[in-house]
DNA sequence: ATTAAAATAATTGTATACAATTATACAATT
DNA sequence: AATTGTATAATTGTATACAATTATTTTAAT
């Protein structure tokens, strides 16, 4: 097994896409920053060909925008956009919760209960990263229960955009305890197979997180020029 | 001005994307059909590089899907997907109509009235293509009034997918006259600045077009195997 | 004849070279 | 000194060559 022979083939096409998107989400590439293909290629360790394919996708998703002169720039973040994103999420995830309530098996309720317990634990132990991913787990599980594939695709896309803002709020204690209560309430509605209740509870949950996000963003946004 | 010198530069990057998407929407490339890069490149008259960038975007939008072995195939069309698409559209366009009712100026009402008159005329004169594009105009105008940019982006994307099905229903007379009445009703609600009424009217309008679409698709879908 | 292995062909993935465009710096003219 | 024109550099757009993978055919052995 001569490992030095079979190196190439690093699947860079998709990896480049995810790596680049992550750098934008994490603000490693800052909003409105102008970027150049050659620099990015060097940064990511690939040639321009797979990089450009990744760029195409990110342009399409509006993480990157092309200026009139063809130069590339990281998309802006605006309060208007985050409002719309959370509003759409409230509608779609609300309907997902409603469908989940309709489809829920007893096993589902058990699993969801365990998840919420995990969220509580990671919050108490202060592991905020776990907290965030457990929160995703809860929402993702409901998505699977709903079996609404197109809803989920759009939501995943919106979540990636929302994540650009979430770094501002995810570590905010008050919001976390509130989210915990809200998750509990959603689960209760689903356990009761109360479809309308679950829908409303999820909508309120998302809109409540929007309010928290806006509070935090308000100050930051004030410091920026156009 | 030696025109034979400055030919190249055909902006093929974006053109290829739109041309390829259109061929999928128009079923020139049929659902589930396996396609090869080289054939597509020849078909569209470009090299593989810009073609592959177009493919990336269409993969991301799930007009094209990649099989486990790396081969490319046109995405399937399923009844489940069309149901979800129209349901999401009803939610988003409903909210757009609500916002439009809130923002409407008297000039807007005038313009919308004129549009509906155009739709009626093109329907009476049997120009179905005009009918479809006028219908888009009406919805697009409401979108602009709402000023909800993220909503609109997602809706445009969904519309492209919906268009793959719409060919089945757009020429259906009954549905058209019904849509006409519904457009009128939506406009009336907006003219009255009745936000909730406009939202509900638009939701009903979209879901009504879903019902028509499903009726027409049902038979076709029955003839297909898996 | 059937199956398995190997060779060949077809297809996708990546890198690089070159063409076309846009930006920048510098000189010339007013 | 300011402005315009020109040359140079930087950047994006496209094509092609080659590498790696997957599919297909051929060949050989049982």
């Amino acid at each position: 097994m001569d490992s030095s022979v079979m190196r190439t083939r690093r699947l860079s096409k998709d990896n480049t896409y995810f790596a680049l998107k992550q750098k934008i989400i994490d603000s490693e590439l800052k909003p409105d920053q102008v970027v150049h293909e050659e620099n990015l290629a060097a940064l990511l360790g690939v040639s321009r060909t797979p990089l450009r394919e990744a760029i195409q996708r990110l342009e399409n998703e509006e993480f990157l925008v092309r200026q009139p002169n063809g130069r590339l720039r990281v998309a802006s973040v605006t309060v208007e956009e985050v409002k719309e994103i959370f509003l759409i999420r409230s509608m779609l995830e609300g309907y997902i919760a409603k469908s989940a309530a309709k489809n829920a098996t007893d096993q589902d309720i058990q699993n969801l209960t365990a998840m919420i317990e995990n969220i509580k634990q990671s919050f108490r132990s202060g592991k905020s990263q776990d907290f965030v991913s457990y929160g995703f787990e809860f929402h993702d599980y409901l998505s699977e229960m709903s079996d609404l594939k197109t809803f989920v695709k759009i939501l995943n896309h919106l979540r990636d955009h929302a994540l650009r803002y979430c770094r501002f709020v995810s570590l905010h204690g008050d919001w976390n305890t509130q989210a915990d209560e809200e998750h509990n309430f959603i689960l209760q509605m689903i356990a009761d197979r109360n479809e309308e209740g679950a829908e409303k509870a999820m909508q309120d949950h998302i809109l409540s997180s929007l309010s928290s996000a806006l509070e935090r963003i308000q100050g930051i946004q004030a410091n920026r020029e156009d």
Side-chain angles (χ1 to χ4, degrees), chain A residues 36-188:
Chain A
H36 299 278
E37 293 183 358
E38 212 157 357
N39 300 348
L40 291 179
L43 178 65
L44 298 166
V46 295
S47 82
R48 279 180 61 215
T49 305
L51 171 68
R52 279 180 60 92
E53 294 181 358
I55 288 175
Q56 289 304 320
R57 295 168 72 175
L58 292 168
E59 269 188 77
N60 223 37
E61 295 182 354
E62 309 222 33
F63 283 104
L64 294 172
V65 294
R66 202 161 283 278
Q67 293 173 320
N69 56 10
R71 298 303 194 271
L72 208 59
R73 153 176 94 65
V74 178
S76 311
V77 296
T78 68
V79 172
E80 274 317 307
E81 192 195 4
V82 72
K83 281 182 188 169
E84 288 190 49
I85 288 173
F86 277 77
L87 190 51
I88 297 170
R89 285 184 59 206
S90 77
M91 295 178 186
L92 302 193
E93 293 215 43
Y95 191 84
I96 279 183
K98 180 180 179 179
S99 302
K102 192 170 73 179
N103 301 341
T105 66
D106 291 345
Q107 182 65 54
D108 288 331
I109 309 296
Q110 271 190 296
N111 294 345
L112 287 167
T113 307
M115 275 182 203
I116 288 190
E117 189 53 40
N118 280 333
I119 296 177
K120 271 202 198 99
Q121 295 232 341
S122 72
F123 177 59
R124 270 198 290 266
S125 64
K127 300 186 175 179
S128 55
Q129 189 53 52
D130 288 1
F131 177 88
V132 171
S133 49
Y134 280 130
F136 284 160
E137 241 183 80
F138 181 76
H139 286 261
D140 286 343
Y141 196 95
L142 295 185
S143 292
E144 274 200 35
M145 287 170 67
S146 75
D147 200 36
L148 297 165
K149 296 188 175 57
T150 301
F151 276 71
V152 172
K153 282 174 203 163
I154 294 175
L155 279 171
N156 285 338
H157 173 243
L158 288 175
R159 175 192 290 175
D160 286 337
H161 277 278
L163 273 171
R164 292 184 82 192
Y165 304 90
C166 274
R167 60 170 39 249
F168 297 136
V169 297
S170 63
L171 309 178
H172 198 56
D174 290 348
W175 178 67
N176 283 348
T177 51
Q178 193 181 337
D180 185 44
E181 284 168 23
E182 290 166 357
H183 282 156
N184 264 315
F185 187 61
I186 293 166
L187 173 54
Q188 194 180 311

